Amino acid sequence: MKLYSYFLIAAGLFSACQLGDKSIAQESLPLAPKIDTARLSLLFVGDLMNHSPQTSAAYDYRSKQYSYDTCYYWVKDYLSKPDISIANLEVTLAGYPYTGYPMFSAPDAYAVAAKNAGFDYFFTSNNHTCDKKLKGVVRTLDVLDSLKIEHTGSFRNIEERNANYPSVVEKNGIKLVFLNATYGTNGMPIPSPSVVNLLDSVQLKADFDKAKSLNPDFIIMGVHWGNEYQRTPSADQKKWADFFIRNGANLIIGSHPHVVQTYERRNGVPVIYSLGNFISNQRDRYKDGGIAYEIELMKSEGKTQIVSHSYQAIWVQKQQYPKVVYRLIPEDFKADSLLNSTEKAAWKTFVNDTKNHFILDSL
């Protein structure tokens, strides 16, 4: 009996040890690392302009309404695919009478079509921001707000700027900060009490300091700069690029020259000096299109970086017959039979010029 009891006790102890060892072994196994990865895709285009012939082409005499939706027919899917699509809005939405160059006021339908096409965000600080004085600055922001299009660069007053600038956008677990400024406003005074961000080093230093205090994952500088129609960046652009990078910019997106300028990486930061015209009535070589630049951000273990970037050359078709119609034609356009021989040649010339001029690195 004692031997039997001893055997039971021993067996129990052996079983307990097994269970105990198993428990200890389980607790000591290293836990699989938790991978906290987020991704965000962004697409940038250049100048959205509206010359007088574009306004005329958008008018429907039967409905007595304006519509620009046709412009985006062939690129709508492309523009709406990224998480955030961003453009430089180089017109005011000051209401009737509508005007083109040199002082722009586009119909509200211009912004409606851009929204319908997939744009989420506009830079609004450029040399045409003050074309229609205070009404132009304020009404443009009113229209964008009514369409729920995010924006930065111009403000109704200093209080609004202080409250909403730098501009913060959070999506997919990634926190972006947008900054935006222009070299000037064509010599026109900024109408009080509105504010338009200018290339002022003292103010920009303070803006970058505030941006960094918001603990963003990525800081993007949208800048209106450079010399019109010059396909290479100026020394002044490079000087400003270095300033932005020193102060914390992770990406620099440029506009204003109305032609595509070259790309370079400065101290590890991609600089897109000029995206060119996204849509306009300018028809000369190099001016009749622009590029859409796309990046993908990845945030992992607290670090955010660009993991891929690419672009498409996009040409502006101006169909003449049976009526004038503007359409954006991407470089991978599959329905080129819809272009006449002159249009097809111009489209191919623009794509080839761009591909030979704007060369990305492999990251």
Side-chain angles (χ1 to χ4, degrees):
M1 188 70 179
K2 288 183 179 179
L3 183 61
Y4 178 71
S5 299
Y6 179 82
F7 176 79
L8 289 178
I9 293 168
L13 288 171
F14 178 75
S15 177
C17 286
Q18 278 191 315
L19 291 173
D21 287 348
K22 185 178 180 182
S23 175
I24 291 169
Q26 285 177 333
E27 289 178 3
S28 63
L29 283 174
L31 296 174
K34 183 179 179 183
I35 300 174
D36 182 18
T37 301
R39 289 181 178 267
L40 183 68
S41 57
L42 305 172
L43 183 144
F44 300 86
V45 306
D47 304 325
L48 269 64
M49 307 191 76
N50 186 62
H51 295 93
S52 293
Q54 292 169 260
T55 305
S56 299
Y59 187 69
D60 185 321
Y61 285 90
R62 287 177 295 182
S63 66
K64 301 189 183 328
Q65 300 292 323
Y66 291 90
S67 175
Y68 293 82
D69 289 327
T70 304
C71 302
Y72 297 99
Y73 184 82
W74 297 109
V75 295
K76 183 175 180 179
D77 290 345
Y78 175 64
L79 295 176
S80 58
K81 185 178 179 181
D83 295 310
I84 307 174
S85 291
I86 303 121
N88 171 54
L89 182 66
E90 197 153 356
V91 297
T92 70
L93 304 167
Y96 190 83
Y98 306 125
T99 53
Y101 182 83
M103 294 183 179
F104 293 97
S105 179
D108 296 354
Y110 189 81
V112 171
K115 171 74 173 181
N116 292 342
F119 283 109
D120 307 287
Y121 197 101
F122 284 149
F123 292 130
T124 60
S125 175
N126 55 68
N127 58 311
H128 289 287
T129 304
C130 300
D131 280 1
K132 296 297 178 177
K133 301 182 180 178
L134 183 62
K135 178 185 178 182
V137 176
V138 172
R139 194 176 184 282
T140 299
L141 302 180
D142 290 345
V143 173
L144 298 184
D145 287 344
S146 72
L147 295 173
K148 294 182 169 48
I149 298 176
E150 298 285 337
H151 53 84
T152 198
S154 57
F155 310 88
R156 297 172 180 87
N157 49 57
I158 190 63
E159 291 78 17
E160 182 177 71
R161 186 187 193 276
N162 290 340
N164 299 312
Y165 192 76
S167 173
V168 177
V169 175
E170 295 189 60
K171 193 164 187 176
N172 295 358
I174 294 179
K175 183 178 182 180
L176 306 175
V177 166
F178 289 100
L179 299 167
N180 181 219
T182 178
Y183 74 92
T185 54
N186 288 343
M188 300 177 64
I190 297 171
S192 181
S194 69
V195 179
V196 178
N197 290 344
L198 299 175
L199 285 176
D200 176 277
S201 59
V202 174
Q203 182 61 62
L204 280 162
K205 176 70 167 59
D207 294 339
F208 270 102
D209 287 344
K210 184 177 179 182
K212 288 180 286 189
S213 75
L214 299 171
N215 296 314
D217 297 306
F218 208 77
I219 298 176
I220 298 169
M221 180 72 207
V223 54
H224 211 66
W225 59 357
N227 298 320
E228 288 186 331
Y229 316 126
Q230 189 173 101
R231 299 180 74 213
T232 54
S234 66
D236 190 60
Q237 283 172 278
K238 294 191 175 192
K239 179 197 74 173
W240 278 113
D242 289 337
F243 174 88
F244 301 145
I245 293 165
R246 283 198 308 273
N247 284 280
N250 301 115
L251 175 66
I252 299 169
I253 299 291
S255 58
H256 176 62
H258 303 300
V259 294
V260 176
Q261 291 187 336
T262 51
Y263 159 89
E264 75 171 327
R265 185 183 293 270
R266 296 179 76 84
N267 293 322
V269 175
V271 183
I272 314 300
Y273 285 105
S274 173
L275 293 163
N277 286 328
F278 188 62
I279 189 164
S280 78
N281 185 57
Q282 294 188 332
R283 307 308 303 159
D284 293 338
R285 186 175 181 181
Y286 310 126
K287 305 174 190 176
D288 54 345
I291 62 172
Y293 173 70
E294 189 170 2
I295 67 170
E296 183 174 21
L297 298 177
M298 184 177 75
K299 179 181 177 181
S300 182
E301 299 180 352
K303 182 180 180 182
T304 303
Q305 59 185 334
I306 301 174
V307 292
S308 68
H309 65 168
S310 60
Y311 74 93
Q312 271 215 66
I314 299 180
W315 177 71
V316 182
Q317 176 198 22
K318 183 181 180 180
Q319 174 189 292
Q320 296 288 350
Y321 302 103
K323 68 184 293 288
V324 174
V325 179
Y326 292 83
R327 296 186 185 91
L328 292 159
I329 307 297
E331 67 179 64
D332 62 355
F333 188 50
K334 299 298 189 292
D336 58 333
S337 61
L338 298 178
L339 305 177
N340 64 38
S341 58
T342 302
E343 292 170 340
K344 191 180 296 187
W347 164 57
K348 288 184 175 179
T349 295
F350 179 77
V351 170
N352 289 334
D353 284 343
T354 303
K355 290 294 183 183
N356 291 329
H357 186 64
F358 189 87
I359 301 172
L360 289 177
D361 58 21
S362 59
L363 284 176

